[in-house]
């Protein structure tokens, strides 16, 4: 069984054969958010208590990513955004392509933007990638969300930038 999983995962992670495989499903560098409207202080105050609200607000997400960039931990938000994009993918071929990219960029050991997940979560994610589905990254995404909620969000809320928003 383990050999079968390893073989299937190896197939998924092979180098692309054609240039069409090089089409990147989401931008390498975050795009500037569409002229996101600056939130009212009341709206920004809600972010303190809900990372979900913060991440769903274009201005909030852009602000949070800038803050994480200043702390050299932006890979967490980038991974979360990539997973959200991945879940919206309908085509099995595109899903496999995006899964491979996310794995190579964020999950595999020594990945360029490796996220901090435990060994069990990494192993379960790899197992899920044998047959990619919209929920393949759910466990890893939940772990990273919890990490940002517990660790990054409180620091963001104490930051000067956030304090200016709620004035």
């Amino acid at each position: 069984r383990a050999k079968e999983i390893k073989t299937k995962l190896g197939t998924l992670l092979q180098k692309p054969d054609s240039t069409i495989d090089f089409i990147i499903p989401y931008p390498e560098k975050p795009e500037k958010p569409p002229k996101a409207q600056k939130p009212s202080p009341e709206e920004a105050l809600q972010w303190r208590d809900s990372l979900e609200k913060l991440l769903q607000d274009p201005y909030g997400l852009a602000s949070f990513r800038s803050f994480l960039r200043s702390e050299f931990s932006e890979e967490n938000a980038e991974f979360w955004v990539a997973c959200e994009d991945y879940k919206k993918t309908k085509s099995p071929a595109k899903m496999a392509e995006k899964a491979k990219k996310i794995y190579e960029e964020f999950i595999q050991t020594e990945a360029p933007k490796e996220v901090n997940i435990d060994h069990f979560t990494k192993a379960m994610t790899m197992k899920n990638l044998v047959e990619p589905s919209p929920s393949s990254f759910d466990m890893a995404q939940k772990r990273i969300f919890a990490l940002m909620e517990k660790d990054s969000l409180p620091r963001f809320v104490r930051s000067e930038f956030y304090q200016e928003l709620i004035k």
Side-chain angles (χ1 to χ4, degrees):
R1 178 83 183 122
K3 211 174 212 179
E4 180 184 322
I5 290 173
K6 189 175 177 183
T7 304
K8 285 186 177 180
L9 190 57
T11 304
L12 178 66
L13 297 175
Q14 284 178 348
K15 295 288 178 225
D17 293 331
S18 67
T19 54
I20 196 77
D21 289 338
F22 287 112
I23 296 172
I24 299 170
Y26 53 91
E28 279 295 330
K29 295 218 169 21
E31 292 175 349
K32 295 269 186 238
K35 290 293 177 200
Q37 195 171 345
K38 187 175 179 182
S40 68
E42 293 75 29
E43 289 172 312
L45 269 172
Q46 293 178 3
W47 299 345
R48 255 193 329 211
D49 307 315
S50 174
L51 179 59
E52 202 164 317
K53 282 185 181 172
L54 170 65
L55 296 174
Q56 288 172 353
D57 182 287
Y59 195 93
L61 177 59
S63 303
F64 190 55
R65 285 174 85 166
S66 287
F67 170 75
L68 291 175
R69 197 171 302 118
S70 75
E71 291 202 326
F72 305 100
S73 63
E74 65 194 294
E75 70 279 352
N76 292 331
E78 287 183 25
F79 174 70
W80 187 87
V81 168
C83 289
E84 288 299 295
D85 176 61
Y86 172 80
K87 286 190 249 186
K88 295 174 190 160
T89 307
K90 301 288 182 236
S91 153
K94 282 274 187 221
M95 189 171 281
E97 196 178 298
K98 286 183 180 185
K100 177 181 187 246
K101 175 125 176 71
I102 292 170
Y103 174 80
E104 289 175 348
E105 192 168 353
F106 300 103
I107 305 290
Q108 79 182 7
T109 306
E110 303 295 320
K113 298 177 183 179
E114 186 176 0
V115 290
N116 186 7
I117 53 174
D118 58 275
H119 181 71
F120 176 75
T121 303
K122 188 179 278 196
M124 290 304 295
T125 301
M126 287 172 64
K127 187 178 173 197
N128 292 343
L129 292 178
V130 173
E131 290 180 31
S133 74
S135 62
S136 292
F137 293 101
D138 282 1
M139 182 186 277
Q141 188 182 21
K142 283 182 179 123
R143 294 273 195 272
I144 293 303
F145 183 91
L147 182 71
M148 290 191 299
E149 191 171 47
K150 183 182 98 212
D151 193 40
S152 305
L153 182 61
R155 286 196 313 276
F156 173 68
V157 167
R158 289 190 301 269
S159 72
E160 273 183 45
F161 183 78
Y162 179 78
Q163 293 301 316
E164 286 298 314
L165 277 175
I166 59 173
K167 282 185 181 175

